[in-house]
């Protein structure tokens, strides 16, 4: 008897279980994870540096873990905030996974950390499918990337709890159409909050910290419609061995015979 197994679905299912366990473990110690996703060059490191500085000034116990393919440049930059920072080099892997995050937190994350900001690898494809045990998923896009970014990357934007627009200080120069961007976000993720920021001018810096602190205190989190659909799809796929894929799936299949 032979059985077809979708390897991508199996990998994601294992990651989801690990993420749930990590989320519960961190919640028990009072730590909330914020997962930041964006394309390379969106300005998320600059914004995160501002948020960390503000958190330290407010006395909020925060830490940051930043992932990249190579170099420790982002960690060096974020460490200027004076909060605990760790660099993870993925050695070519285009995303973080829950198990990887858990291993890097073990023995490093201070026990009294209230908020852990995770700066994911600069990529809007692979990281979108991997739950890291976060309670708040934030997707960022700069005004230079185009108003249709949410339509081009519907999984990333469709699973976001908050969407952040960066580099608004140059919005006029690049003729960024805010209304069009908001409409495209609403198309893939109805009801999600969109924050406008400029790390250079300081506009909107602190809004992300406010949202994260509220979530850590038990505040409500936006429920993306796509999250429910993706969960249902993965559940159904375990009982249906057809060759379809999910929104991020590779479609890789393996055949097991006995």
């Amino acid at each position: 008897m032979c059985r077809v197994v979708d390897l991508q679905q199996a990998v994601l299912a294992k990651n989801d279980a690990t993420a749930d366990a990590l989320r519960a473990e961190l919640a028990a110690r009072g730590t909330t994870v914020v997962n930041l996703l964006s394309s390379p060059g969106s300005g998320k490191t600059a914004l995160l540096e501002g948020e960390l500085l503000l958190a330290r000034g407010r006395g909020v116990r925060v830490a940051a873990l930043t992932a990249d393919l190579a170099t420790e440049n982002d960690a060096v930059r974020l460490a200027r905030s004076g909060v605990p920072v760790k660099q993870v080099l993925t050695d070519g892997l285009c995303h973080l996974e829950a198990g990887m995050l858990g291993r890097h937190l073990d023995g490093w994350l201070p026990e009294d950390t209230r908020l852990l900001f995770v700066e994911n690898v600069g990529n809007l494809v692979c990281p979108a499918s991997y739950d890291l045990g976060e309670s708040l998923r934030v997707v960022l896009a700069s005004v230079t990337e185009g108003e249709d970014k949410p339509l081009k990357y519907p999984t990333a934007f469709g699973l976001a709890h908050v969407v952040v627009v960066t580099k608004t200080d140059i919005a006029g120069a690049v003729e960024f159409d805010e209304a069009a961007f908001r409409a495209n976000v609403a198309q893939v993720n109805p009801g999600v909050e969109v924050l406008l920021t400029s790390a250079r001018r300081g506009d909107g810096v602190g809004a992300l910290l406010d949202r994260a602190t509220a979530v850590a205190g038990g505040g409500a989190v936006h429920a993306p419609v796509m999250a429910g659909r993706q969960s249902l799809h993965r559940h159904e796929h375990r009982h249906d061995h057809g060759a379809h894929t999910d929104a991020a799936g590779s479609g890789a299949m393996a055949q097991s015979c006995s």
Side-chain angles (χ1 to χ4, degrees), residues 35-165:
N35 185 9
L36 305 178
L37 290 77
S38 78
S39 300
S42 69
K44 66 178 177 294
T45 305
L47 179 61
L48 180 54
E49 184 179 7
E51 300 289 343
L52 296 178
L53 281 167
L54 190 58
R56 185 185 179 195
R58 292 181 180 178
V60 181
R61 297 289 186 177
V62 297
L65 181 145
T66 181
D68 216 334
L69 302 181
T71 83
E72 296 187 357
N73 294 348
D74 290 347
V76 171
R77 183 173 182 179
L78 294 177
R80 298 185 306 200
S81 67
V83 309
V85 174
K86 184 172 186 177
Q87 178 77 55
V88 174
L89 299 180
T90 63
D91 195 25
L93 189 64
C94 64
H95 62 276
L96 285 173
E97 297 178 7
M100 185 188 308
L101 177 61
R103 289 192 295 273
H104 282 285
L105 296 183
D106 188 29
W108 168 74
L109 187 67
E111 286 293 332
D112 61 351
T113 301
R114 187 179 187 194
L115 296 175
L116 170 64
F117 287 91
V118 177
E119 184 179 15
N120 219 314
V121 180
N123 186 333
L124 281 177
V125 182
C126 304
S129 295
Y130 287 84
D131 183 356
L132 299 183
E134 71 265 22
S135 296
L136 190 66
R137 176 176 290 209
V138 181
V139 176
L140 302 89
S142 72
V143 298
T144 62
E145 295 177 60
E147 295 82 1
D148 61 349
K149 201 78 171 183
L151 303 182
K152 290 182 175 180
Y153 299 91
T155 301
F157 284 88
L159 292 175
H161 298 121
V162 176
V163 172
V164 175
V165 179

Side-chain angles (χ1 to χ4, degrees), residues 3 9 12-14 16 231 233-241:
R3 184 167 64 95
Q9 292 293 340
L12 292 176
K14 179 180 179 181
D16 287 350
S231 176
H233 174 84
R234 290 182 186 177
H235 176 77
E236 290 176 340
H237 197 91
R238 295 189 188 104
H239 300 87
D240 175 6
H241 303 302

